[in-house]
Amino acid sequence: MTHKTLSKPDNNNNTMRVIVPLQGVVQGRGGLFLGSVIPCALFYFLQLYFKQFRHNSNSNTDPTHDPNPNSPSSTNETSPSTSPSSIEFNGLPRTWSRSLLSPKSGKWPVHVSGRVGSLLKNSETPYFVGLNKYKEDAYDEIENPNGVIQLGLAENKLSLDLVKEWLLENADEAILGGKKISGIASYQPHDGLMELKLAVAGFMSQIMDNAVSFNPSQIILTAGATPALEMLTFCLADPGNAILVPTPIYPCLDWDLKWRTGVEIIPVPCRSADNFSLSISALDRAFSQAKKRGVKVRGILITNPLNPVGNLLNQETLYSLLDFAREKNIHIISNEIYAGSTHGSEKFVSMAEIIEPEDLDRNRVHIVYGLSKDLSLPGFRVGVVYSYNQDILSAAKKLARFSSISAPTQCLLAAMLSDAKFIQNFIKINKERLRRMYDEFSLGLKKLGIKCAESNGGFFCWADMSGLIRSYSEKGELELWGNLMNVAKVNVTPGSCCHCIEPGWFRFCFTTLTLKDIPIVMERIGRVIENCKSHI
């Protein structure tokens, strides 16, 4: 395309230039006419418009009509502070001329990816709504006794006093004592310091009663268990592939696995009739249905103990699961983040125990762990990928650059986990407190006529409140959730957020409370129950 530059001097010896296409290449009939005649006509139209515009402007800015001839606007001089971009040409500001000549007005909204819209939409679920309402109006025994009580977040505050005591005595020495500043201020391996890997491996064995040992060289450290889950999903499946997930499951799993990987999850419903236990036959049906739809299933994700139910997977079930994975040639991700937070008589069994003698199937088993639950340190953001697959470990090591843990945090936790006396005492006391809190809370619900699923681990009571909903549906469940949230001011998680197909189940996380909070919670829930019974 050729252009011609037309210039016309003004009274200020400034020039306004207009670039006009004199010839364009237009496909189809009338190309020459459309490509040259029309642009020229448009050019002359604009010239007439500008000429008339300048004439009107000049008449308004003529010095003879200026009541203050000595004002800066009446002279031909430009003040030193005036930038070239602000100079006006015969009454037509440069910014005006650019907006008139350019089809790009700058009034369109700034584009963001479609992923942003998806993230914003997902923040409107009851789970996130409840968390936000708690932040806005948090309960405090003295400062805000009528505020929202938090029972929707799986966070253990029962033994924070033990952690605080250790930190006050040892934090300074643990972070910097005897070390050069470069040891914490310089770049460190993205996948974690070997010092912390050794300590984490020992801690994992200890909370599992030393039933299995863990090799530090098979550990990748991440900034929390969520990045660990996402990292494994990224490594095991391509966008559009799927992971089988027995449900109910914790409410954030969809986003942990799907948001950035593009991998789908296929919920595999478990039933209350058998305490929501894992069913191999249900997994097989889900796998077959996915295959018919042309969806490739790459793995199974289990959480043991199960969040939100709290039941444990026994040895027989884990062996059956391994056989199923071998038959379908898929992976197993075992999320064992609550391994040390058991409070019943049933023994926890790690997938690592099952795979120890199975040399041929080790490459398909991967374990996720973290210190958020068992050590009450969610704010420290420490997660673990433990895999027997060297390709996965190599890839995860590279991906760890996006979720590495700070060096001071690693030094601090390595010292804490290496304090055998502290760790032994913490595990013992934490389990005792966990058991007592579970007994007291579940008893309180029982007195209100609310039955809970049998639980041996985790921070939650999985409560059946289906008898209180007006309609046996998700709508009825959310109506009851709204009453608990807005009337009782108790934030709980409705089962529909956990992919539970049976309406009326709710997750109550009791480890955010103290023993003296329980009567207050029960009194508030009791008011809602009485109100529901009067309308049923």
Side-chain angles (χ1 to χ4, degrees), residues 287-487:
F287 184 91
S288 299
Q289 291 169 1
K291 188 175 181 179
K292 289 179 181 179
R293 298 195 308 269
V295 177
K296 293 182 179 179
V297 175
R298 296 303 189 189
I300 310 165
L301 171 64
I302 59 172
T303 300
N304 185 25
L306 179 60
N307 177 2
V309 181
N311 51 7
L312 277 62
L313 300 179
N314 57 36
Q315 195 173 61
E316 181 182 355
T317 301
L318 293 175
Y319 273 119
S320 298
L321 185 65
L322 184 59
D323 290 339
F324 176 78
R326 181 189 298 116
E327 176 189 342
K328 305 300 183 183
N329 193 26
I330 58 179
H331 294 266
I332 297 175
I333 302 174
S334 182
N335 181 5
E336 301 181 0
I337 197 170
Y338 292 100
S341 298
T342 56
H343 50 71
S345 57
E346 189 174 347
K347 180 182 180 295
F348 172 80
V349 181
S350 171
M351 200 67 192
E353 293 183 49
I354 304 301
I355 205 66
E356 275 294 318
E358 303 288 337
D359 292 339
L360 295 178
D361 287 308
R362 289 188 174 190
N363 281 341
R364 71 174 76 254
V365 174
H366 320 277
I367 295 171
V368 169
Y369 186 66
L371 302 181
S372 297
K373 313 300 183 183
D374 290 347
L375 204 55
S376 302
L377 295 174
F380 280 59
R381 309 307 303 145
V382 177
V384 175
V385 171
Y386 188 83
S387 180
Y388 299 88
N389 190 311
Q390 289 302 318
D391 289 339
I392 296 299
L393 288 173
S394 297
K397 187 173 182 179
K398 296 178 183 297
L399 292 171
R401 68 180 289 109
F402 301 111
S403 62
S404 56
I405 310 167
S406 73
T409 299
Q410 294 189 67
C411 292
L412 177 65
L413 291 176
M416 179 184 288
L417 294 176
S418 300
D419 188 336
K421 182 179 179 181
F422 166 75
I423 292 299
Q424 185 177 5
N425 187 57
F426 179 90
I427 293 174
K428 178 178 178 293
I429 295 177
N430 186 59
K431 285 196 173 187
E432 291 173 353
R433 292 177 178 179
L434 192 58
R435 181 66 200 183
R436 184 180 180 188
M437 183 63 73
Y438 171 77
D439 288 341
E440 293 292 331
F441 194 86
S442 58
L443 179 61
L445 291 178
K446 185 178 180 180
K447 290 179 179 179
L448 294 175
I450 301 173
K451 182 181 178 181
C452 296
E454 182 181 351
S455 173
N456 285 283
F459 305 156
F460 14 79
C461 285
W462 184 236
D464 182 8
M465 303 181 74
S466 58
L468 299 173
I469 59 179
R470 290 199 284 183
S471 62
Y472 190 69
S473 63
E474 182 178 340
K475 181 179 179 181
E477 176 183 281
L478 294 181
E479 182 182 8
L480 177 56
W481 170 81
N483 288 332
L484 290 167
M485 182 73 254
N486 300 313
V487 178

Side-chain angles (χ1 to χ4, degrees), residues 95-108:
T95 53
W96 287 13
S97 65
R98 292 180 63 184
S99 64
L100 289 170
L101 292 175
S102 173
K104 300 178 181 179
S105 64
K107 297 179 181 179
W108 300 104

Side-chain angles (χ1 to χ4, degrees), residues 205-275:
S205 296
Q206 191 169 351
I207 61 172
M208 299 177 192
D209 298 324
N210 295 311
V212 63
S213 60
F214 293 90
N215 186 346
S217 65
Q218 294 172 222
I219 287 178
I220 302 294
L221 296 175
T222 61
T226 293
L229 284 169
E230 185 193 55
M231 189 180 294
L232 280 173
T233 304
F234 183 91
C235 292
L236 301 180
D238 294 315
N241 293 166
I243 302 291
L244 298 178
V245 181
T247 60
I249 194 66
Y250 71 94
C252 289
L253 179 73
D254 292 64
W255 307 298
D256 290 356
L257 266 60
K258 294 169 55 176
W259 264 351
R260 298 196 297 183
T261 65
V263 174
E264 295 298 320
I265 69 167
I266 298 178
V268 183
C270 300
R271 305 284 179 172
S272 60
D274 54 1
N275 201 48

